[in-house]
Amino acid sequence: MGRDLRVAVEVVAEGIDMTPTIYYCYDAYCGWCYGFSPVISRIFQEYRSVIAFEVLSGGMILPAEPQPIGVMAGYIQKAYLTVEERTGIRFGEDWRWHIFHPEESDWYPSSEKPAIAMGVFREYHPDLCVPFSAELQYALHYEGRDLTDDEAYRHLLAKFEIPGTEFYQKLRDPAYKEKAYEEFALVKQLHVTGFPTVFLQVSDTKFYLLTRGYTDYTTFKNSLDKALSEMHLR
């Protein structure tokens, strides 16, 4: 099971060395996070032997009542082009169909279920949450899977060797929903106002803000290396 996120962020016992930890605050529905996914995935592969990685779901879309994709489709129709131009990522044809045919779409976006899925996944593979976040973003933004649908996650279970029956029992367990909302609250406590936001924690009191919003690989890596060098960690 993964570490207690709240304790990891707030307190490290005095006098005990800690592994430098990146906290990637994201949302599965965030287009800019999708564009940032190749950057954080590359950083994860290059630094995972010396840095711990935690993924925190932000709860970007949490309507009091379900709202159809048409509510935000007009904005997304223009915004996704900016994401593609700046990041080089491409949004899939199936995703675009829902965005450009909102009156025919059955999508009612909500960040809740993918956050619950991340919490369940963390129990099986606490060290692979960055790759899982990338898979969720690809499933939505390229493959056009509805992340509010339980079946949207089934294709990932075999890939990560997760038992399906257990996964779905936990996905529907109110306790995991509660944990997801605790995570949303934690992200707010960290004063995250947009996604992606990435912090590096190097001690119980020392944090670096590596990015607030999309950053390209070279800029992000330079910021990370500078922070690590200041702590004599690289």
Side-chain angles (χ1 to χ4, degrees):
M1 183 175 293
R3 72 187 69 184
D4 184 316
L5 293 174
R6 187 175 300 277
V7 173
V9 171
E10 294 179 350
V11 177
V12 176
E14 185 176 356
I16 297 179
D17 292 334
M18 66 166 289
T19 300
T21 301
I22 277 182
Y23 290 93
Y24 171 36
C25 302
Y26 100 118
D27 192 274
Y29 276 89
C30 171
W32 283 108
C33 294
Y34 174 53
F36 183 66
S37 184
V39 175
I40 194 66
S41 295
R42 183 174 174 184
I43 292 292
F44 171 77
Q45 292 299 333
E46 294 177 355
Y47 289 81
R48 60 184 299 192
S49 63
V50 293
I51 297 177
F53 286 78
E54 299 279 7
V55 176
L56 302 178
S57 300
M60 186 178 75
I61 303 175
L62 295 172
E65 297 292 337
Q67 298 291 318
I69 188 64
V71 172
M72 60 188 75
Y75 167 78
I76 297 174
Q77 288 169 9
K78 299 177 181 179
Y80 93 92
L81 294 172
T82 304
V83 176
E84 287 192 335
E85 180 180 0
R86 184 172 175 193
T87 71
I89 203 79
R90 289 293 175 263
F91 290 76
E93 181 179 348
D94 289 340
W95 176 86
R96 291 198 306 270
W97 184 89
H98 287 274
I99 302 305
F100 285 94
H101 300 84
E103 68 284 350
E104 300 176 58
S105 174
D106 59 354
W107 280 7
Y108 284 74
S110 171
S111 299
E112 180 181 289
K113 187 159 290 183
I116 297 172
M118 178 64 75
V120 174
F121 178 87
R122 189 180 289 124
E123 293 194 347
Y124 293 97
H125 300 295
D127 298 330
L128 295 179
C129 289
V130 169
F132 189 67
S133 71
E135 292 284 357
L136 292 182
Q137 291 164 342
Y138 184 82
L140 170 64
H141 293 105
Y142 194 85
E143 297 177 327
R145 298 179 189 266
D146 179 1
L147 297 185
T148 68
D149 182 356
D150 289 358
E151 291 302 310
Y153 306 91
R154 192 172 296 279
H155 70 293
L156 297 176
L157 302 183
K159 184 170 186 175
F160 288 98
E161 299 181 343
I162 296 174
T165 300
E166 283 186 11
F167 176 85
Y168 281 109
Q169 286 177 344
K170 293 177 179 180
L171 189 68
R172 298 162 184 150
D173 187 335
Y176 288 86
K177 178 178 177 178
E178 181 178 350
K179 290 179 182 180
Y181 277 84
E182 289 175 354
E183 196 164 306
F184 300 154
L186 175 57
V187 171
K188 289 183 179 179
Q189 289 173 17
L190 293 172
H191 303 291
V192 173
T193 57
F195 305 103
T197 294
V198 184
F199 300 98
L200 173 70
Q201 183 184 15
V202 295
S203 74
D204 57 337
T205 59
K206 187 69 172 180
F207 285 80
Y208 292 87
L209 175 62
L210 298 180
T211 186
R212 179 178 285 122
Y214 174 80
T215 301
D216 64 81
Y217 168 79
T218 300
T219 303
F220 186 88
K221 177 177 167 55
N222 288 342
S223 297
L224 175 57
D225 285 343
K226 180 180 179 182
L228 294 175
S229 65
E230 289 180 6
M231 303 306 296
H232 307 289
L233 294 171
R234 188 164 178 83

